[in-house]
Amino acid sequence: MSSERPKLGPDIPKVITAWLSASGRVVYLTADRNWSEELSDAEVLTGAGAVDILAWAAKDQTRVSDPYFMQVTLDGKVAGRETIRETIRARGPTNHPMFGKQAGNN
Amino acid sequence: MYRYDEFDDTLVRERAKQFRGQVERRLKGELKEEHFKPLRLQNGVYLQLHAYMLRVAIPYGQLSAKKMRQLALIADKFDKGYAHFTTRQNVQYNWIRLADMPDVLDVLADVEMHAIQTSGNCIRNVTSDHLAGANLDEIEDPRPWCEIIRQWSTFHPEFSSLPRKFKIAVTAGETDRAAVRVHDIGLHMKKNAEGRIGFEFIVGGGLGRTPFVGPTVREWVAKEDLLSYLEANMRIYNRHGRRDNKYKARIKILVSELGLEEYRRQVEEEFAAQNTWEKVVLPQDEVDRITAYFAAPKFAALPAISAAFDAFKAGSREYARWAKNNLRPHRTPGYVSVHVALKQQGEAPGDASSDQMRALADIGETYALDDIRVAHEQDIVYPHVKLDDVPAVYAALKAAGLHASNAGLASDIIACPGLDYCNLSNARSISVANEIQAVFADPEFEDDVGTLHVNVSGCINACGHHHVGHIGILGVDKKGEEFYQVLFGGRADEKATIATIQGPGLRHEEVAPAIRRVIDQYLTLRRDKSEKFIDTLSRVGQAPFKDALYAAA
Ligand code: SF4
């Protein structure tokens, strides 16, 4: 069971992802401290300061639930050992291509 | 079917109202997620990979057409036009917005439904035999007892904060169709030496990380002692069940760690020590009142043979195949039980569209005495259908795309939502299930293979019951790649057995070809066509099947 997300050290590029509290939709933190449903809008974080931003995100409870670090490449593509999970989360269920972001009906 | 009285109705509506306030506070930011989470879970609301998921209780899997239509309406109005029927005889929606949840609970309450006790560390929805009241080998209808347990356990203050979730199943047939030996408590209705009907108490079964077939704690408990003896068990569990480690918190670990003798001694001591005022004595008039809701419907006096049905079967191989695989004998002449497999090739096991749900409701109302059941195989069952009506039922099912003729066969796969939906998952289940289904796409081949239960889980939580599949498949994560362990030899019936892991996991694309090799091995080794896969496996042992599993393709 993988309810725990892997620890990502400061050198690993990452974004912050969460779920919108009202709808449960998957979102990513942008540089202007908003939440976007598009991964391409997310701010790629590196370095030790990322944990402070995650701490801030964790307090943004009215808008989102359960934020966490998600590994990406430097140009913001899903990466690392949770690639399958996060790709499905970013796009939608693979067995239902007509649902979710992949179908534009999130 | 049980009908709510004013207390049930008030309770469910008050609960929905209370949750509306909690959701409002969450959305205003007055409640943080960590504080809200236990509240939403108590109302069946999970946060999954893509969205919130709502699990709705279907007590012992029984629905009416009205309820099924309401479930379809929720799918259309608040979700994406479909729902998923689960191995616990419940139904789940995958895309409902939190802001809409209170409205959904109101819509459910309008048809005497709710999501209470579908999550959290409480006694969950009581499950039962989907053929209850219809099958040949039942000594008594178990549903009144399920309902009594439901009423006793709902919001029971002593058992609303248990060490872990708690699942009770009841069966009354010789054949166990409710998997009672792999539940926290399984109740198998049996006669004692004097011929009185009571309950065999099987305690500490379960799947998940540490699977166990539950041992019998008492061979026979009288009906009047049912709730007191349940309470004695629950108290021992509540007192000694581990709360320090959630992986060791289920009652199966307690029974295993204490040992059966000591566990039994403690339960008997507790049972004996219950004061008279503490005993939950079931008033007979209340038992009678509840039992009356489950009285057998008025069956027509019919001959055992139906010319219309015989003509239907003779009409085509397609009809004959469906009739052979999807009908079950009924105790009343001229009737049959119909198994609707929600297992069309390529579809997610257990999924039904809202149109299909409405078709299921219409068929239930027109041809099946308004009695619709959810089976733990993630299928739908009509327990009471006239043989004369079978051709019309088949036509209606076919029009709705619900005519899969594979009930009980290899492509009637039980599979959890897995990594396509579940936040706890390691690997996808649905796509693996679909690829295995494709191995059996040829109906003649599938019929030749015969009875075969394949179960797929996307993680060790085992919602797809992989430990009790004849062939079980477990998704594991290996450094970010989906791998699948294969198990052989499990069964969920009265001969319940935990399957054995064969060895290293296979890659996603290797699973279906490997299963094909295993089946070819079975076809070579079986004595004759009447010997099922599971019986060949136990006669010749697992080694040749393991060889086939890992043989180079
Ligand atoms: S078995 Fe695991 S992956 Fe499947 S539904 Fe249960 S928790 Fe999710």
Side-chain angles (χ1 to χ4, degrees), chain B residues 2 58-62 89 117 123-130 132 140-154 168-172 178 180 187 189 199 226-227 230 282 290-291 294:
Chain B
Y2 182 72
I58 303 177
Y60 32 92
Q62 187 167 14
Q89 301 179 297
Q117 288 175 220
I123 298 175
R124 302 283 189 91
N125 186 32
V126 181
T127 52
S128 191
D129 183 347
H130 49 265
E140 183 174 316
D141 192 330
R143 288 172 300 161
W145 301 100
C146 295
E147 177 56 29
I148 286 165
I149 294 167
R150 186 191 73 79
Q151 295 193 16
W152 158 79
S153 66
T154 299
I168 299 176
V170 190
T171 196
V180 295
L187 301 173
M189 298 191 78
F199 300 89
L226 172 66
L227 296 185
L230 272 172
L282 275 165
I290 290 172
T291 304
F294 300 93

Side-chain angles (χ1 to χ4, degrees), chain B residues 297-404:
Chain B
K298 285 207 177 2
F299 294 115
L302 294 169
I305 292 172
S306 154
F309 174 63
D310 288 346
F312 166 77
K313 276 194 301 184
S316 80
R317 284 168 77 176
E318 172 194 320
Y319 299 163
R321 180 183 196 231
W322 179 81
K324 176 171 165 280
N325 292 331
N326 290 49
L327 301 182
R328 304 285 177 267
H330 195 284
R331 66 173 74 139
T332 311
Y335 283 82
V336 75
S337 300
V338 175
H339 197 115
V340 182
L342 298 179
K343 308 291 166 61
Q344 291 284 4
Q345 287 272 340
E347 297 291 335
D351 275 14
S353 70
S354 56
D355 285 342
Q356 289 178 323
M357 290 157 79
R358 276 183 287 271
L360 287 165
D362 292 346
I363 296 166
E365 203 166 52
T366 312
Y367 301 111
L369 299 171
D370 201 17
D371 194 337
I372 306 167
R373 311 277 175 86
V374 182
H376 85 266
E377 292 91 347
Q378 301 171 299
D379 292 333
I380 298 293
V381 169
Y382 297 115
H384 317 298
V385 175
K386 283 181 190 162
L387 275 173
D388 291 340
D389 288 336
V390 165
V393 168
Y394 181 78
L397 289 172
K398 189 169 180 184
L402 291 165
H403 58 301

Side-chain angles (χ1 to χ4, degrees), chain A residues 1, chain B residues 48 416-419 422-427 429 456-464:
Chain A
M1 177 175 75
Chain B
Q48 292 287 37
C416 77
L419 192 54
C422 176
N423 198 27
L424 303 177
S425 186
N426 286 325
S429 307
V456 188
S457 301
C459 81
I460 195 68
N461 282 346
C463 304

